[in-house]
């Protein structure tokens, strides 16, 4: 087989894997195929695994990822994977979590700009200040936090288990601190019937993607598309969450689509989830109402190839052993409480 035939074969594989549903042009498919082919060749010679969050570009999800999922699924699978090296297609807090759970593995983050506005919204000093203002009150931190903030927390939660874990903790405590996502905190307080500022102390962090959705648009789309099921991430505002048919994390939203059969769906979240849903459920109809996360979309195939071939020291996740030990404790507590 000559080189052209190899690339045509790879284009065919990508098309069948799901990209045909997503409107890739022939040229885009060819460019992607040239890189996915090289990445997969390289991968086959190394003990490496590529996890990818569902908001990543579709050519990463369907071209090179070994597993795809939400924050909870990825953290579990990274810890279980026997591979010695992890090239994490997601954002920094996810790659740090992988390192905390697998300190002996080499973990790389391909794009240095892949941060997160929520993780940036609270520092170690701020969490320590909150702890001194509310002594003895347990601190529950969303997984979208830095390793330093995790290390000062009692329990970590993700969008998939926050409600269950908070419910369990409220059996023993009258008051809990939840950080850093204000909207998620308010949504949880409403769901669990807790008073914000009294029973649930929250921080003011926001996701720059989910804070931007307009709750007023929901009624407009309902009138325009009768029968549409509207799903939103719980990082959206309480007004928006109250107006939709289902609110949850990305994994829960995909489960909801799988288990229902509506005339159409609208996913109020980062656009990657809609792309994935279109590829996974080609017989369903999806109406777009999404925003791009600049952090999630910072990673492309060229970064992944470069990380495999000649990783820089900045791409390698390095955390001091004592920080890893301290940040591991609340993550283990999460796994205990969410099984
Ligand atoms: P999920 O765990 O629901 O995938 O959320 C991660 C995230 O960053 C949402 O913005
Ligand atoms: Fe962070 Fe929001 Fe991007 Fe998720 S979508 S990584 S919470 S900025």
């Amino acid at each position: 087989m000559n080189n052209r035939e190899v690339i045509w074969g790879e284009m065919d594989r990508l098309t069948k894997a799901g990209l045909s549903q997503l409107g890739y042009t022939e040229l885009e498919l060819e460019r992607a195929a040239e890189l996915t082919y090289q990445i997969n060749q390289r991968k086959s010679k190394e003990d490496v695994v590529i996890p990818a969050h569902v908001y990543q570009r579709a050519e990463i999800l369907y071209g090179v990822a070994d597993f795809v999922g939400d924050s909870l699924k990825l953290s579990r699978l990274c810890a279980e994977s026997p591979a010695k090296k992890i090239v994490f297609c997601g954002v920094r807090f996810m790659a740090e979590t992988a390192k905390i759970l697998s300190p002996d593995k080499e973990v790389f983050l391909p794009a240095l700009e892949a941060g997160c506005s929520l993780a940036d919204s609270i520092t170690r000093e701020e969490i320590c200040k909150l702890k001194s203002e509310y002594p003895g009150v347990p601190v529950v931190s969303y997984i979208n936090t830095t390793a330093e903030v995790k290390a000062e927390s009692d329990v970590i939660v993700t969008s998939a288990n926050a409600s269950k874990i908070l419910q369990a903790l409220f059996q023993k405590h009258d008051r809990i601190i939840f950080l850093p996502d204000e909207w998620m905190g308010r949504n949880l307080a409403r769901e669990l019937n807790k008073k914000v500022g009294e029973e649930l102390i929250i921080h003011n962090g926001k996701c720059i993607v989910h804070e931007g959705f307009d709750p007023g648009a929901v009624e407009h789309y309902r009138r325009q598309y009768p029968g549409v099921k509207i799903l939103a991430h719980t990082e959206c505002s309480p007004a928006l969450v109250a107006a939709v048919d289902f609110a949850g994390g990305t994994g829960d939203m995909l489960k909801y689509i799988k288990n229902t059969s509506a005339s159409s769906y609208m996913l109020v979240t980062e656009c990657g989830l809609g792309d994935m849903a279109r590829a996974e459920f080609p017989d369903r109809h999806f109406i777009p109402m999404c925003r791009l996360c600049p952090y999630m979309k910072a990673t492309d195939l060229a970064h992944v190839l470069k990380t495999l071939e000649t990783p820089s020291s900045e791409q390698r996740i390095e955390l001091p052993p004592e920080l890893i030990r301290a940040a591991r404790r609340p993550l283990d507590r999460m796994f205990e409480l969410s099984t």
Side-chain angles (χ1 to χ4, degrees):
M1 246 198 294
N2 66 30
N3 203 28
R4 296 282 349 122
E5 283 169 342
V6 168
I7 297 304
W8 288 334
E10 183 65 358
M11 286 167 74
D12 192 42
R13 187 185 73 81
L14 292 177
T15 304
K16 290 192 182 122
L19 297 194
S20 61
Q21 309 297 326
L22 305 178
Y24 276 64
T25 63
E26 197 73 359
L27 186 63
E28 284 167 338
L29 209 55
E30 187 175 338
R31 287 202 176 133
E34 280 164 6
L35 290 164
T36 56
Y37 180 75
Q38 290 179 71
I39 292 168
N40 289 322
Q41 285 289 101
R42 181 89 202 187
K43 256 173 69 181
S44 65
K45 295 183 194 119
E46 275 193 65
D47 190 13
V48 58
V49 73
I50 303 186
H53 186 265
V54 293
Y55 292 161
Q56 290 289 290
R57 295 163 191 263
E59 63 265 27
I60 290 181
L61 303 187
Y62 293 104
V64 299
D66 293 294
F67 41 86
V68 172
D70 63 6
S71 310
L72 183 63
K73 181 173 170 187
L74 293 179
S75 57
R76 278 210 174 107
L77 291 178
C78 281
E80 286 164 13
S81 165
K84 289 267 173 298
K85 186 168 166 181
I86 298 175
V87 174
F88 208 115
C89 292
V91 292
R92 180 168 292 275
F93 76 80
M94 295 179 175
E96 281 189 355
T97 304
K99 182 71 186 173
I100 295 163
L101 294 172
S102 306
D104 298 334
K105 293 178 190 168
E106 283 190 294
V107 179
F108 293 94
L109 181 69
L112 302 182
E113 319 83 278
C116 169
S117 67
L118 278 173
D120 289 345
S121 72
I122 186 156
T123 60
R124 184 179 174 278
E125 288 65 39
E126 285 169 311
I127 182 174
C128 291
K129 186 163 172 275
L130 266 172
K131 280 166 55 165
S132 63
E133 279 169 34
Y134 298 96
V137 176
V139 179
V140 176
S141 294
Y142 192 29
I143 198 162
N144 299 38
T145 41
T146 61
E148 286 77 13
V149 168
K150 284 189 177 72
E152 293 297 332
S153 308
D154 294 297
V155 189
I156 303 301
V157 296
T158 76
S159 60
N161 58 25
S163 169
K164 184 178 173 184
I165 291 180
L166 277 184
Q167 265 182 64
L169 293 174
F170 271 120
Q171 302 288 320
K172 294 192 195 134
H173 303 273
D174 298 333
R175 187 178 249 190
I176 293 172
I177 298 171
F178 175 79
L179 55 89
D181 188 349
E182 176 178 350
W183 288 154
M184 188 175 280
R186 289 189 183 275
N187 289 325
L188 285 163
R190 205 177 68 140
E191 185 191 335
L192 303 177
N193 204 17
K194 300 291 171 193
K195 287 195 183 67
V196 171
E198 288 177 36
E199 295 160 292
L200 195 66
I201 313 299
I202 58 175
H203 186 65
N204 61 2
K206 299 271 170 26
C207 160
I208 53 162
V209 173
H210 291 97
E211 73 169 344
F213 292 112
D214 170 16
V218 170
E219 282 322 306
H220 165 81
Y221 283 115
R222 277 201 198 287
R223 281 195 298 277
Q224 203 175 344
Y225 300 99
V228 63
K229 289 285 180 207
I230 307 185
L231 286 61
H233 199 282
T234 38
E235 290 171 10
C236 291
S237 70
L240 196 138
V241 164
V244 299
D245 298 293
F246 176 80
T250 56
D252 299 315
M253 285 195 259
L254 289 173
K255 265 186 226 143
Y256 182 97
I257 300 165
K258 193 173 174 202
N259 297 329
T260 54
S261 55
S263 54
S264 56
Y265 297 86
M266 177 176 274
L267 306 181
V268 186
T269 186
E270 210 277 342
C271 304
L273 192 72
D275 287 345
M276 187 172 165
R278 267 190 293 281
E280 296 293 317
F281 305 102
D283 54 328
R284 312 289 177 90
H285 180 228
F286 294 94
I287 300 159
M289 164 137 140
C290 69
R291 292 163 67 95
L292 291 169
C293 172
Y295 305 114
M296 282 285 182
K297 295 300 194 262
T299 308
D300 62 20
L301 290 169
H303 287 109
V304 179
L305 184 61
K306 157 92 180 55
T307 312
L308 287 168
E309 285 179 340
T310 48
S312 67
S313 56
E314 291 81 16
Q315 287 170 315
R316 183 188 294 271
I317 302 290
E318 301 270 24
L319 299 170
E322 58 283 8
L323 179 58
I324 289 181
R325 274 195 296 279
R328 171 84 191 230
R329 205 180 19 84
L331 278 164
D332 284 344
R333 190 95 176 93
M334 168 179 85
F335 291 123
E336 274 161 45
L337 289 168
S338 60
T339 46

